[in-house]
C-alpha cells in the first residue's frame, strides 16, 4: 500500500469542486485507492482554519474530514510534540509520496 503525505492544499482541493486543483486531487485518489494517508496535525489545523471562514456548512465538512481521518485505519496523523515549533519532522527518503494537488 503506497504511503502519501497529504498537505493542506490537497485536502482543500479534494473538498472544493471549484478549486483549480480539484480534478488533479480527485484523479490522484483514483490512481491510489488503497493509499495510506499521512497528514500532520498542523495540516489538519490549517484545513479547519481555511474552512472556518467559508460558512457553517463548510466548517462542518472540514470537521467531518478530520473526524474521518482520525477514524480511518489507513490514515496516520503525525502529532507534533509540544514546544517543537523549531524542530522539523523528517521522513526516510522514498517512503512517502508527496500528495500536493
Amino acid at each position: 500500500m503506497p504511503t502519501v503525505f497529504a498537505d493542506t492544499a490537497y485536502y482543500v482541493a479534494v473538498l472544493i469542486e471549484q478549486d483549480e486543483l480539484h480534478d488533479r486531487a480527485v484523479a490522484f485518489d483514483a490512481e491510489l485507492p488503497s493509499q495510506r494517508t499521512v497528514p500532520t496535525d498542523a495540516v489538519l489545523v490549517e484545513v479547519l482554519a481555511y474552512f472556518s471562514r467559508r460558512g457553517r456548512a463548510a466548517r462542518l465538512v472540514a470537521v467531518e474530514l478530520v473526524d474521518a481521518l482520525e477514524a480511518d485505519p489507513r490514515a496516520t496523523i503525525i502529532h507534533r510534540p509540544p514546544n517543537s515549533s523549531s524542530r522539523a519532522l523528517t521522513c526516510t527518503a522514498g517512503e512517502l509520496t508527496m500528495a500536493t494537488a
Side-chain angles (χ1 to χ4, degrees), residues 6-22:
D7 68 0
T8 305
Y10 168 75
Y11 288 120
V12 168
V14 166
L15 295 176
I16 299 179
E17 290 183 21
Q18 299 80 16
D19 189 282
E20 65 186 51
L21 300 173
H22 177 77

Side-chain angles (χ1 to χ4, degrees), residues 8-92:
T8 305
Y10 168 75
Y11 288 120
V12 168
V14 166
L15 295 176
I16 299 179
E17 290 183 21
Q18 299 80 16
D19 189 282
E20 65 186 51
L21 300 173
H22 177 77
D23 293 340
R24 287 179 63 190
V26 171
F28 181 82
D29 282 348
E31 290 174 21
L32 298 171
S34 65
Q35 68 194 16
R36 180 172 169 259
T37 307
V38 181
T40 65
D41 55 359
V43 164
L44 300 182
V45 168
E46 288 177 343
V47 169
L48 292 169
Y50 178 86
F51 284 95
S52 71
R53 301 181 303 254
R54 299 181 67 89
R56 186 179 196 296
R59 287 192 297 272
L60 290 175
V61 168
V63 168
E64 288 172 0
L65 168 72
V66 172
D67 287 345
L69 288 169
E70 288 176 340
D72 188 343
R74 294 171 301 150
T76 301
I77 300 170
I78 299 173
H79 296 282
R80 194 171 52 127
N83 302 320
S84 66
S85 59
S86 63
R87 296 183 202 136
L89 295 172
T90 59
C91 299
T92 304

